[in-house]
Amino acid sequence: MIDLSAAPTLDRLLPMLCETAMDIHLDVYLVGGVIRDLLLRRSTVDFDFAVEGDAIEFTRELAARHGGTLTMHPTFRTATWSYQELEIDFATARTETYPEPAMLPVVTPASIDLDLYRRDFTINALALRLNEPRQLIDLYGGQEDLRSGIIRVLHDHSFIDDPTRLFRAVRFEQRLNFHIEPHTFSLIAPALPYVSRLSGERLRYEFELIFSEDEPEKSLHRLHDLGLLTYLDSGLIFDETLYNAFRSYRLLAADQQYAQNSWHIKTNSAINIGWALLGSRTRDPEQMARRLMLDRTATLAVHGGQRIAKLLDKVASAQKPSEVDALLNDLPTEVLVAGSVLASGDTRAKVTAYATTWRYVTPLLSGKDFTNWGLSPGPLFGKLLRGLRTARLDGQISSLEQEREFVQRVIAQMAADDATGEDA
Ligand code: ATP
């Protein structure tokens, strides 16, 4: 039987849910990936429940008994119960029919058996009935496939009905170190043409999930081998450099303090770094952004990824920090991260130094100081500040005194140039 000790939250919740379900004569199930993860003894945070009958009626009763708040979605007969620190989703058990391949399904309330049949893989089609006697429902051999490390669809039309399952199959295979069993594998090629019918939003979401995995490079590599990456961009190149770049990023992000304090990488940056990395290998960033209906930040990441990949040779030959600064100065953090992990050796060191240090270099003097010295605000101020910054970046000056001397020198030079009629 399932060991719930790995999920203390469930241990606390289940008796409450079970009592309510039995009192109002509804059957409630814990269902899907959570059961897979519990059986594999992997940590799990998302709990999905299915209610045979009406999830809204059940959740209302729960809230009436235990408090908390409800968000209801009557069209889908689903509800979210916010209880203490938890947010728990309840769905009415349902069947799904696909009017056309790759389109969203038509949903009808149904028994748990049919609800399990609509699911993607045997390992995700497991349910725990909460009503007493508690019982694990495994209609398709999910437990056996978990033991054998196998990804198996429930029926032959599965990938055609919903081609996002191709991406899901690869993601679970790589995450769990499983393999797609031979018959399921034989169903992949015939389903490939249907990927083009997926909306940009759905396709994008699959990639966002992959970028959020612990080892996205493994899934991307597998998608490449299966010919699935071409649906982002027919010319996308998945090479060893890109594979290693995803790995290097992971190592960088693993040191959370360094990532946050030195790089200013936000916790949710993995997705846009993923886009920047793929952008570095696309032929047409605009087309990729349009196909996936990317938002503005992700679109900038794809374009920036392509730009920085092209700039790396110039960064490699730059002699001074100020030259690196001039090359990289308007690129966002995610793109700089991508550039750094795509590069190696000295070039990586330069991008890293720029992203973590050089871009924050500013002179100590400001326009206010110049005004105090009797200078009139104008283009000269910008020129002085830029000059000071360049000199600081390149290590020519490092103290306030040296900055003052630098400004005096520039002004004296300009006066001398004026006197000889030259343009400063
Ligand atoms: P993860 O650990 O990545 O969150 P999960 O299995 O919990 O994986 P979800 O995307 O949260 O995955 O979906 C919950 C459950 O819903 C799945 O376990 C599966 O049973 C079902 N499901 C999700 N997406 C599909 C799909 N495209 N086709 C069929 N069933 C799906």
Side-chain angles (χ1 to χ4, degrees):
M1 204 10 138
I2 288 195
D3 175 12
L4 294 175
S5 59
T9 312
L10 278 180
D11 230 5
R12 170 163 64 107
L13 269 179
L14 294 197
M16 289 159 60
L17 303 192
C18 172
E19 189 186 85
T20 308
M22 308 256 299
D23 286 353
I24 63 170
H25 307 290
L26 287 175
D27 281 332
V28 179
Y29 303 83
L30 180 62
V31 65
V34 57
I35 305 291
R36 173 199 71 219
D37 288 340
L38 285 168
L39 288 170
L40 290 173
R41 295 179 194 279
R42 289 174 65 96
S43 69
T44 175
V45 279
D46 275 345
F47 310 130
D48 291 318
F49 293 93
V51 179
E52 257 180 346
D54 183 5
I56 292 186
E57 181 192 343
F58 175 71
T59 319
R60 267 210 194 103
E61 182 63 26
L62 263 180
R65 291 179 180 212
H66 301 284
T69 53
L70 277 187
T71 315
M72 291 175 278
H73 308 283
T75 326
F76 304 107
R77 304 313 294 169
T78 61
T80 305
W81 182 39
S82 305
Y83 173 70
Q84 297 177 351
E85 79 290 2
L86 304 170
E87 288 223 328
I88 309 154
D89 293 324
F90 294 89
T92 301
R94 61 184 195 259
T95 182
E96 293 178 344
T97 43
Y98 289 82
E100 264 186 73
M103 296 294 128
L104 288 173
V106 175
V107 165
T108 325
S111 64
I112 190 69
D113 291 9
L114 288 174
D115 186 284
L116 292 178
Y117 187 65
R118 75 176 169 86
R119 289 171 189 267
D120 46 6
F121 310 114
T122 56
I123 60 166
N124 289 343
L126 292 159
L128 179 69
R129 182 175 187 265
L130 304 188
N131 302 50
E132 297 295 347
R134 212 180 260 182
Q135 185 192 356
L136 186 68
I137 300 176
D138 177 9
L139 303 174
Y140 306 105
Q143 289 179 97
E144 179 56 31
D145 287 347
L146 275 179
R147 276 192 291 271
S148 316
I150 277 174
I151 308 290
R152 185 198 306 271
V153 286
L154 273 63
H155 56 85
D156 286 4
H157 216 256
S158 185
F159 288 137
I160 292 178
D161 281 345
D162 179 355
T164 66
R165 293 174 186 158
L166 294 164
F167 297 87
R168 292 177 62 86
V170 166
R171 194 158 52 82
F172 290 120
E173 179 194 48
Q174 298 304 316
R175 182 201 296 173
L176 303 173
N177 279 323
F178 278 25
H179 68 273
I180 300 172
E181 64 83 31
H183 180 66
T184 298
F185 192 85
S186 74
L187 301 172
I188 292 180
L192 289 180
Y194 294 93
V195 176
S196 347
R197 298 198 193 184
L198 284 174
S199 69
E201 203 180 354
R202 293 184 71 200
L203 194 53
R204 178 185 72 225
Y205 183 60
E206 292 308 317
F207 280 88
E208 290 176 351
L209 292 175
I210 288 171
F211 295 152
S212 309
E213 289 286 313
D214 281 347
E215 298 176 290
E217 65 278 6
K218 286 172 59 184
S219 294
L220 292 168
H221 189 227
R222 181 73 155 142
L223 290 177
H224 170 70
D225 284 349
L226 293 172
L228 274 157
L229 279 189
T230 55
Y231 290 91
L232 286 190
D233 170 4
S234 54
L236 190 89
I237 299 164
F238 189 82
D239 55 13
E240 209 180 328
T241 309
L242 190 59
Y243 185 94
N244 289 332
F246 272 98
R247 288 195 63 196
S248 299
Y249 164 59
R250 206 151 37 73
L251 296 177
L252 192 162
D255 186 345
Q256 281 182 15
Q257 279 208 332
Y258 173 64
Q260 279 171 20
N261 300 341
S262 300
W263 276 90
H264 300 279
I265 298 176
K266 298 192 201 89
T267 39
N268 59 356
S269 292
I271 289 174
N272 284 326
I273 291 169
W275 288 127
L277 285 171
L278 289 192
S280 76
R281 291 297 184 273
T282 176
R283 228 189 274 157
D284 187 349
E286 192 52 47
Q287 189 252 333
M288 184 190 270
R290 238 182 298 120
R291 169 66 183 107
L292 297 167
M293 297 163 76
L294 297 183
D295 66 14
R296 196 167 165 276
T297 324
T299 302
L300 286 176
V302 170
H303 282 275
Q306 191 180 61
R307 230 181 97 202
I308 202 164
K310 288 189 175 152
L311 284 172
L312 288 178
D313 281 345
K314 289 188 179 149
V315 172
S317 46
Q319 300 293 322
K320 300 182 198 156
S322 61
E323 291 172 28
V324 177
D325 180 77
L327 291 167
L328 304 181
N329 74 60
D330 55 352
L331 294 171
T333 299
E334 285 91 349
V335 171
L336 295 172
V337 175
S340 141
V341 294
L342 283 165
S344 57
D346 188 42
T347 311
R348 180 181 290 187
K350 286 181 195 163
V351 179
T352 303
Y354 171 74
T356 57
T357 315
W358 298 341
R359 66 177 160 153
Y360 300 111
V361 168
T362 48
L364 297 171
L365 291 173
S366 67
K368 212 166 143 219
D369 297 302
F370 306 154
T371 314
N372 289 343
W373 299 343
L375 297 171
S376 320
L380 172 65
F381 280 25
K383 186 177 165 172
L384 288 174
L385 290 170
R386 277 193 303 277
L388 280 171
R389 180 160 186 272
T390 300
R392 259 196 181 271
L393 276 169
D394 295 341
Q396 292 155 5
I397 55 176
S398 55
S399 67
L400 184 60
E401 196 42 48
Q402 287 170 327
E403 286 199 8
R404 285 203 191 100
E405 286 164 17
F406 177 92
V407 172
Q408 279 159 7
R409 261 200 321 277
V410 174
I411 291 173
Q413 183 64 47
M414 284 169 62
D417 290 348
D418 273 354
T420 55
E422 282 178 30
D423 196 339

